């Protein structure tokens, strides 16, 4: 229960919550902390912060303070790879990445959680690459004092599938590249694909174990895949031959190599003719020629998820559609732009 | 209790169609029974322990009644015309009671729980199966004081309306100046302009008593005899 008292009568009482000071463009933070005993010297500053009354808190048995609530919420939201300190500031707790990796949000559980009136949690987008210590989410209770039950209900919703938030470390894959195309194989043009793909692989902490060049011949493509697998590669990436021309036989080669769960076509531009398939548990990614021209393509959306252990199937490629259109900006600002930010 | 899928199938068949309200109702009843520790509410030893107050007359109400087996005529189903998607489950033996309210936010959350399905109806149908109880419902432990005259069992009291002579059961009469009236006489009824009628086909009954069967037999016999005499005397009735 909250009791309102006039500021002048508050001298000697303890503050019920942090009091925030905002100086536009300069400072935002706690001017006074919860528990601070109000003294005469504080009155002028509190008045300048617009406080003419303060709350005294007398908690009923079934009520909790916003700081307690924030701790319960943070505990329920935080899954594997998420760290947080039980030190609410202005009633809010930040959740950070405990390690480098791919930030994962159960957006359904988050929506259900936020539908509880008394709570909120804001996060980065699902599937954002984050560094250790980076803020990924923040949570707080909305009222200063509330019943305990809605907070526990929100916590239960957050835990429905384990937890709402997590950071998955990327595995270090041993990648086998297959660069297809008669024009490259016969030396008519210089290959540009292998360096582009290799950089994307190494930037994510994996290594390229071998690069095979093949003509547009399904049997030779199949053989190249087989050789990579025999050497112990656990991720195969193929470039070229993914389009609709008669010479585009890469898909045939992938199927011949024994791939199952082949999903050709993604709801992303650039990258519509992308292919994701599996031989056993090993993913095969077919990268269309757009990967040569565009700095960022569907591969940049999918590869981190593959390395985080996610299975990429039809639904995953289809659900990229919303937000899957690159604006082709003159100066690319990915990952700070809307590309790949599905709801 | 049967599993969710079988209960939903039989509930939809009994109700007439499968709809999101059926999913909500079946789940509401399963949760309600679980909360008051009844695992087989329709079984003979549990059936008399249960009373359910249903606060809406929508698809969900039929599903709750189907799963729990409560019935209006057995007085185990109480219809409270609140227009709220809620039902309260009372265990008469333990006195435990829980009010389960279907949340409004579940409608908005359907698109998150079944994003792959288009169409509001189909999406809700799938999403309501996927939502945890915590999202689909809010639960309150409540106290329900059930009056003696609302309990199942034989009629415990009858009054006679001093205006029309109608017998009124279970203290549903209205007292005016200390005298009992039936509701239609005491206040505005749901009907008006009542005028008694009679029709010939209202003499019909599905079964007949022994005495009326005997009288019918006699009539037939007399009629056959009369026809036989007429034929012998060569008398015919000629219809104009």
């Amino acid at each position: 229960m909250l009791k309102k008292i006039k500021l002048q009568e508050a001298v000697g009482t303890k503050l019920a919550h942090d009091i925030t000071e905002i100086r536009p463009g300069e400072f935002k933070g706690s001017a006074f902390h919860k528990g601070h005993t109000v003294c005469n010297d504080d009155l002028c500053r509190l008045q300048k912060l617009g406080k003419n009354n303060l709350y005294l808190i007398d908690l009923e048995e079934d009520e909790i303070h916003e700081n307690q609530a924030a701790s319960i919420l943070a505990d329920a939201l935080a899954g594997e790879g998420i760290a947080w300190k039980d030190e609410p500031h202005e009633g809010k707790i930040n959740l950070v990445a405990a390690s480098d990796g791919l930030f994962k949000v159960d957006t359904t559980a988050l929506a259900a959680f936020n539908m509880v009136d008394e709570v909120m949690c804001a996060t980065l987008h699902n599937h954002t690459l984050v560094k250790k210590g980076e803020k990924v989410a923040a949570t707080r209770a909305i009222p200063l004092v509330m019943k305990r039950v809605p907070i526990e209900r929100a916590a239960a919703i957050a835990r429905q599938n384990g937890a709402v938030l997590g950071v998955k470390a990327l595995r270090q894959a041993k990648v086998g590249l297959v660069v297809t195309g008669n024009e490259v194989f016969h030396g008519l043009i210089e290959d540009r694909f292998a360096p582009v793909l290799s950089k994307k692989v190494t930037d994510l902490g994996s290594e390229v174990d071998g690069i095979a060049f093949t003509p547009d011949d399904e049997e030779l493509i199949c053989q190249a895949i087989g050789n990579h697998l025999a050497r112990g590669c656990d991720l195969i990436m193929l470039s070229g031959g993914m389009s609709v021309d008669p010479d585009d036989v890469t898909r045939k080669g992938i199927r011949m190599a024994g791939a199952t769960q082949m999903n050709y076509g993604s709801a992303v531009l650039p990258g519509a003719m992308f292919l994701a398939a599996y031989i056993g548990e090993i993913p095969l990614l077919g990268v269309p020629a757009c990967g040569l021209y565009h700095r960022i393509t569907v591969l940049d959306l999918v590869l981190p998820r593959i390395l985080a252990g996610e299975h990429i199937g039809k639904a995953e490629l289809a659900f990229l559609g919303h937000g899957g259109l690159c604006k082709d900006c003159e100066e690319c600002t990915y990952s700070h732009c809307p590309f790949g930010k599905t709801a | 209790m049967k599993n969710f899928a079988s209960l939903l199938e039989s509930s939809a068949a009994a109700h007439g169609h499968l709809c999101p309200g059926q999913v909500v109702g079946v789940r509401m009843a399963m949760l309600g029974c679980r909360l008051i520790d009844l695992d087989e509410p329709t079984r003979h030893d549990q059936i008399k322990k249960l009373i359910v107050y249903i606060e809406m007359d929508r698809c969900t109400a039929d599903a709750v009644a189907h799963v729990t087996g409560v019935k209006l005529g057995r007085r185990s189903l109480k219809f409270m015309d609140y227009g709220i998607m809620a039902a309260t489950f009372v265990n008469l033996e333990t006195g435990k009671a829980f009010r389960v309210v279907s949340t409004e936010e579940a409608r908005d959350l359907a698109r998150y729980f079944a994003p792959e399905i288009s169409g509001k109806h189909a999406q809700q149908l799938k999403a309501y199966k996927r939502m945890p109880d915590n999202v689909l419902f809010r639960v309150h432990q409540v106290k329900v004081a059930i009056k003696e005259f609302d309990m199942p069992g034989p009629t415990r009291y009858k009054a006679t309306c001093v205006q029309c002579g109608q017998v009124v059961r279970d203290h549903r009469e209205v007292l005016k100046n200390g005298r009992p009236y039936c509701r239609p006489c005491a206040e505005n009824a749901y009907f008006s302009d009542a005028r008694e009628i009679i029709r010939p086909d209202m003499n019909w009954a599905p079964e007949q008593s022994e005495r009326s069967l005997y009288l019918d037999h006699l009539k037939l016999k007399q009629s056959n005899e009369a026809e036989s005499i007429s034929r012998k005397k060569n008398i015919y009735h000629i219809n104009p």
Side-chain angles (χ1 to χ4, degrees):
Chain A
M1 205 170 67
L2 294 169
K3 189 184 158 199
K4 195 165 89 172
I5 52 166
K6 285 196 181 342
L7 186 61
Q8 287 73 13
E9 295 162 16
V11 174
T13 64
K14 288 187 174 175
L15 288 177
H17 55 93
D18 290 357
I19 290 181
T20 302
E21 180 175 7
I22 299 174
R23 297 196 293 275
E26 194 182 318
F27 174 81
K28 181 188 175 291
S30 297
F32 296 94
H33 288 291
K34 174 179 180 280
H36 171 79
T37 305
V38 180
C39 60
N40 276 320
D41 291 351
D42 298 332
L43 298 184
C44 183
R45 192 172 174 203
L46 283 164
Q47 276 174 331
K48 281 183 183 168
L49 293 172
K51 312 294 173 194
N52 292 312
N53 296 284
L54 292 175
Y55 276 132
L56 278 182
I57 291 186
D58 184 11
L59 287 180
E60 304 275 336
E61 204 174 304
D62 60 347
E63 287 180 331
I64 53 173
H65 184 270
E66 62 173 2
N67 285 358
Q68 279 175 282
S71 302
I72 294 170
L73 299 175
D75 188 46
L77 289 161
E80 201 184 324
I82 300 286
W84 59 282
K85 282 186 185 161
D86 194 2
E87 294 168 1
H89 287 285
E90 300 164 73
K92 189 178 73 192
I93 289 180
N94 291 332
L95 297 107
V96 302
S99 60
D100 292 0
L102 191 70
F103 177 54
K104 304 264 286 177
V105 186
D106 181 340
T107 53
T108 302
L110 178 68
F113 175 91
N114 278 327
M115 276 299 217
V116 178
D117 288 342
E118 290 83 353
V119 309
M120 65 75 63
C121 172
T123 75
L124 299 184
H125 274 102
N126 195 13
H127 303 131
T128 302
L129 280 167
V130 293
K131 293 282 180 197
K132 182 180 177 179
E134 191 176 337
K135 181 164 77 174
V136 294
T139 186
R140 65 166 303 146
I142 304 294
L144 176 58
V145 165
M146 70 228 80
K147 299 280 185 200
R148 180 180 280 273
V149 169
I151 300 303
E152 285 178 348
R153 184 168 161 263
I157 290 169
R159 287 198 178 96
Q160 62 181 276
N161 297 321
V164 175
L165 313 171
V167 173
K168 291 277 281 181
L170 303 190
R171 74 179 167 97
Q172 290 178 313
K174 195 173 165 186
V175 179
L177 293 186
V178 181
V179 178
T180 72
N182 293 333
E183 68 281 17
V184 171
F185 185 76
H186 295 301
L188 299 179
I189 61 164
E190 185 191 349
D191 168 57
R192 301 273 300 281
F193 239 129
V196 168
L197 294 182
S198 298
K199 182 169 185 332
K200 288 186 193 282
V201 167
T202 51
D203 281 354
L204 292 172
S206 289
E207 59 157 332
V208 176
D209 185 68
I211 305 172
F213 292 90
T214 71
D216 293 316
D217 179 316
E218 56 256 46
E219 286 188 13
L220 294 176
I221 292 170
C222 166
Q223 202 178 316
I225 294 170
N227 290 342
H228 280 320
L229 292 175
R231 270 204 336 279
C233 289
D234 51 15
L235 173 59
I236 310 291
M237 287 165 68
L238 302 100
S239 69
M242 295 300 301
S243 189
V244 293
D245 298 339
D247 294 328
D248 292 331
V249 296
T250 307
R251 277 181 290 150
K252 288 183 184 168
I254 291 171
R255 191 182 294 282
M256 197 181 278
T260 54
Q261 307 168 63
M262 282 181 63
N263 285 292
Y264 176 53
S266 79
V268 176
L269 285 170
M273 310 249 178
F274 182 77
L275 179 142
Y278 286 84
I279 295 178
E281 295 295 312
I282 296 173
L284 288 86
L285 305 178
V287 185
C290 62
L292 273 177
Y293 176 74
H294 295 273
R295 190 175 84 85
I296 299 296
T297 71
V298 64
L299 180 65
D300 299 272
L301 307 182
V302 169
L303 186 56
R305 292 172 65 178
I306 290 271
L307 295 173
E310 205 175 314
H311 187 279
I312 298 297
K314 182 183 166 74
E316 286 72 22
L317 294 175
F319 288 1
L320 288 170
H322 182 221
L325 181 67
C326 174
K327 288 164 77 176
D328 284 329
C329 303
E330 275 187 31
E331 195 177 331
C332 179
T333 59
Y334 183 82
S335 61
H336 299 293
C337 72
F339 182 61
K341 310 283 193 296
T342 48
Chain B
M1 197 184 287
K2 287 181 188 161
N3 64 30
F4 168 77
S6 335
L7 287 171
L8 181 64
E9 190 184 347
S10 58
S11 178
H15 176 64
H17 64 246
L18 176 62
C19 57
Q22 288 290 303
V23 178
V24 172
V26 169
R27 294 193 53 181
M28 187 182 272
M30 291 177 79
L31 175 61
C33 289
R34 205 160 69 233
L35 288 166
I36 58 167
D37 307 313
L38 295 183
D39 54 356
E40 290 288 354
T42 56
R43 207 172 62 198
H44 186 68
D45 60 323
Q46 295 190 11
I47 208 162
K48 289 190 172 177
K49 294 178 185 173
L50 177 66
I51 285 187
V52 180
Y53 290 75
I54 296 178
E55 299 182 18
M56 91 313 286
D57 47 353
R58 293 271 161 202
C59 304
T60 298
D62 277 355
V64 170
H66 176 78
V67 172
T68 57
V70 297
K71 291 187 166 57
L72 195 64
R74 251 189 352 228
R75 309 194 98 202
S76 52
L77 186 163
K78 308 288 187 195
F79 173 51
M80 311 306 290
D81 198 2
Y82 291 1
I84 298 173
M85 298 295 281
T88 295
F89 300 80
V90 184
N91 185 328
L92 292 172
E93 191 178 61
T94 62
K96 267 191 183 178
F98 292 90
R99 181 165 177 259
V100 181
V101 189
S102 161
T103 60
E104 289 301 316
E105 56 262 34
R107 294 166 167 274
D108 295 319
L109 287 168
R111 67 196 174 98
Y112 285 94
F113 279 83
E116 79 282 19
I117 294 174
S118 62
K120 190 177 152 194
H121 187 274
Q123 193 174 55
Q124 283 180 343
L125 196 67
K126 177 60 82 179
Y128 292 168
K129 293 180 187 176
R130 292 177 177 170
M131 282 177 198
D133 286 339
N134 263 322
V135 174
L136 199 53
F137 303 115
R138 232 168 260 178
V139 180
H140 298 102
Q141 183 158 17
V142 292
K143 286 182 182 165
V144 181
I146 306 174
K147 290 180 192 148
E148 181 195 347
F149 299 102
D150 292 341
M151 290 291 283
T155 303
R156 292 170 179 82
Y157 183 81
K158 288 179 186 175
T160 303
C161 175
V162 293
Q163 187 167 313
C164 70
Q166 177 67 52
V167 169
V168 180
R169 286 162 177 80
D170 301 311
H171 271 307
R172 267 48 173 182
E173 72 276 14
V174 177
L175 290 179
K176 282 186 169 182
N177 299 322
R179 304 172 74 205
Y181 289 81
C182 69
R183 287 240 166 122
C185 286
E187 52 199 48
N188 283 338
Y190 64 89
F191 56 85
S192 67
D193 301 318
R195 180 175 60 86
E196 189 170 5
I197 61 142
I198 186 138
R199 289 163 48 126
D201 60 0
M202 286 163 61
N203 274 331
W204 178 85
E207 286 188 13
Q208 291 180 314
S209 67
E210 292 294 320
R211 180 177 153 73
S212 44
L213 282 173
Y214 178 67
L215 288 174
D216 281 353
H217 170 72
L218 276 186
K219 267 187 206 166
L220 189 66
K221 195 176 166 191
Q222 282 167 2
S223 145
N224 287 345
E225 279 170 4
E227 193 181 339
S228 158
I229 292 165
S230 298
R231 277 187 193 148
K232 279 180 191 165
K233 290 184 178 176
N234 216 7
I235 299 169
Y236 294 94
H237 293 284
I238 299 166
N239 288 328

